[in-house]
Amino acid sequence: MPETHRTRLLILGAGPAGYTAAIYAARAGLKPLVVAGLQPGGQLTITTDVENYPGFAEPIQGPWLMEQFRAQAAHVGAGIIQDVITGIDLSARPIRATGDSGDTYLAESLVIATGAQARWLGVPGEAALSGFGVSACATCDGFFFRGKSVAVIGGGNSAVEEALYLSNLAANVTVIHRRDAFRAERILQERLFARPNVRVLWNRVVEEMLATEGKFRALRALRTRDVRSGAIEDLPFDGAFVAIGHDPATALFRGQIGMDADGYILTEPGSTRTSIPGVFAAGDVQDRIYRQAVTAAGTGCMAALEAEKWLAHLPAEAPAVEAWT
C-alpha cells in the first residue's frame, strides 16, 4: 500500500551533496529523509580510482566512497528511501512530492541535490571503456594520464578548459571538433593555441572508441571521420575526454523554480538558497563550474545549515509537520 512520509527536511538525491546535507541535518536533529533517486551515489558510482577526495592517501573506489557516505548518513539518523520522485509541487505547503512507488512525501523544507550528468557521444565502445581510458572529467582523471597522449572531444568552453588543464599533465593533447571553429570564448582559444603540446583536428567526429586486446581492456584508439571528405582514420590515444557539456537533472522542477538557460538551479551568491523560501539546491544541480565531489559535499553542508536556520524561524502559527495532511 502507498505510504505518506512526513519530514521537516526532504533531500532529493543521494550523491555527495545529498548525503552530506543528510549528515549535517540529522546531527542537527531534523530527522531528514533522503530519496535516493535513479542513481544512488551519483556519478561517483561509475568512477573507479578516486585520488582527489581529501582524507585518503591511497586511491579509493568511487562506489566504496559513496557506500561510506550512505553508511554515515544512516548512522547519524537520516532516513534513506529507494524511490524516484516523479512529481513535485513546490508551491504547496507542505511541499508535496510523489514517488514512482506511489508514496507521497510531505516536507517543510527541501534540498534539491539531484546532480547532473555528463553528455556522452553515444558511439560504440564509449560506455564499455568509461573509466578505462574514457572520461568526462579532466580534473577528476587527468592525473592518470601524466606524460601520455590524450584527446579532448568538443568545441565549447568546457572542451577548451579541459584541454588547457590536460596540457599541464599529458605529453600531448589533441582536440577533436566537428566544426572548423570553436564556440569557446576567444581568450580561452588564444590560451589553447599558445600551448605547444596541443593540436586541433577540425571537421572531425569520433565514430568509435577502440579497445586493447586481452582480459583487461582499455582505450587504444579513436576511429574518426572527416565530415568533409568522409575519410576514416584511427588515431592512437591513451585517454579520451568527452567534453560536450552536462545536463543538470532539473526537469522535474522546470517552471517552478529559478533556473538559468541551461537548466541549472539559480542560488543566491554565497548561499544555497533558491528563488523559493525553504528550498535549497546543492551540488552539480546548481554548480556549472567545478562539478567536483568535494565541492558538492561542501554545498550539501551549506544547504543543511541554511535549512536548519530557516526552519528555526518558521512563523509560530505554522502547524507542526506531523499534523499536515
Side-chain angles (χ1 to χ4, degrees):
M1 290 288 294
E3 297 183 45
T4 297
H5 308 271
R6 294 174 172 84
T7 180
R8 299 208 73 197
L9 177 62
L10 180 64
I11 300 170
L12 303 186
Y19 279 141
T20 302
I23 291 165
Y24 274 80
R27 294 184 76 249
L30 298 182
K31 297 182 180 179
L33 186 62
V34 178
V35 179
L38 280 173
Q39 190 179 18
Q43 295 187 66
L44 278 181
T45 58
I46 57 171
T47 302
T48 51
D49 289 347
V50 177
E51 286 193 325
N52 58 358
Y53 199 86
F56 301 94
E58 300 295 328
I60 55 176
Q61 297 297 299
W64 176 86
L65 178 60
M66 293 319 303
E67 279 299 318
Q68 299 305 301
F69 268 83
R70 177 188 171 91
Q72 185 176 3
H75 176 73
V76 295
I80 303 170
I81 294 181
Q82 301 301 320
D83 199 356
V84 177
I85 299 300
T86 56
I88 192 165
D89 184 355
L90 299 182
S91 66
R93 284 297 179 267
I95 294 167
R96 179 181 294 266
T98 305
D100 185 62
S101 64
D103 287 4
T104 298
Y105 301 85
L106 303 176
E108 290 183 65
S109 57
L110 173 70
V111 171
I112 301 172
T114 46
Q117 297 293 327
R119 296 175 192 156
W120 295 95
L121 298 171
V123 299
E126 182 181 52
L129 292 171
S130 178
F132 299 94
V134 176
S135 171
C137 180
T139 311
C140 309
D141 301 322
F143 182 79
F144 300 111
F145 297 93
R146 289 169 298 170
K148 297 185 178 182
S149 176
V150 301
V152 175
I153 303 157
N157 282 351
S158 294
V160 174
E161 288 170 349
E162 297 272 270
L164 285 168
Y165 178 84
L166 290 165
S167 69
N168 295 315
L169 298 169
N172 57 77
V173 179
T174 300
V175 182
I176 300 173
H177 186 37
R178 60 183 177 175
R179 298 189 175 92
D180 59 2
F182 286 134
R183 292 174 287 107
E185 295 172 10
R186 179 60 59 184
I187 189 170
L188 292 176
Q189 295 187 44
E190 291 172 355
R191 291 173 185 167
L192 186 74
F193 296 141
R195 297 292 170 94
N197 63 336
V198 175
R199 67 167 177 162
V200 180
L201 294 180
W202 305 107
N203 301 299
R204 297 279 190 106
V205 293
V206 174
E207 298 275 282
E208 186 175 356
M209 297 185 176
L210 307 175
T212 56
E213 300 295 333
K215 183 178 180 180
F216 300 103
R217 306 183 78 197
L219 179 74
R220 69 172 175 84
L222 298 179
R223 178 158 293 164
T224 66
R225 176 174 58 85
D226 188 309
V227 297
R228 297 167 303 179
S229 67
I232 301 293
E233 183 179 9
D234 291 350
L235 302 173
F237 292 107
D238 300 300
F241 292 82
V242 179
I244 56 175
H246 287 72
D247 292 314
T250 57
L252 188 66
F253 314 103
R254 193 167 294 133
Q256 301 191 68
I257 198 168
M259 298 182 186
D260 68 13
D262 295 318
Y264 287 89
I265 294 177
L266 297 172
T267 54
E268 295 179 22
S271 169
T272 62
R273 293 188 295 271
T274 70
S275 60
I276 300 177
V279 178
F280 307 88
D284 290 5
V285 79
Q286 55 87 46
D287 173 17
R288 61 183 305 142
I289 299 173
Y290 302 106
R291 295 193 294 264
Q292 300 297 301
V294 68
T295 52
T299 55
C301 165
M302 292 168 60
L305 295 177
E306 290 185 303
E308 178 190 8
K309 183 178 293 185
W310 187 84
L311 287 165
H313 290 86
L314 276 181
E317 63 271 17
V321 70
E322 288 78 14
W324 286 345
T325 58

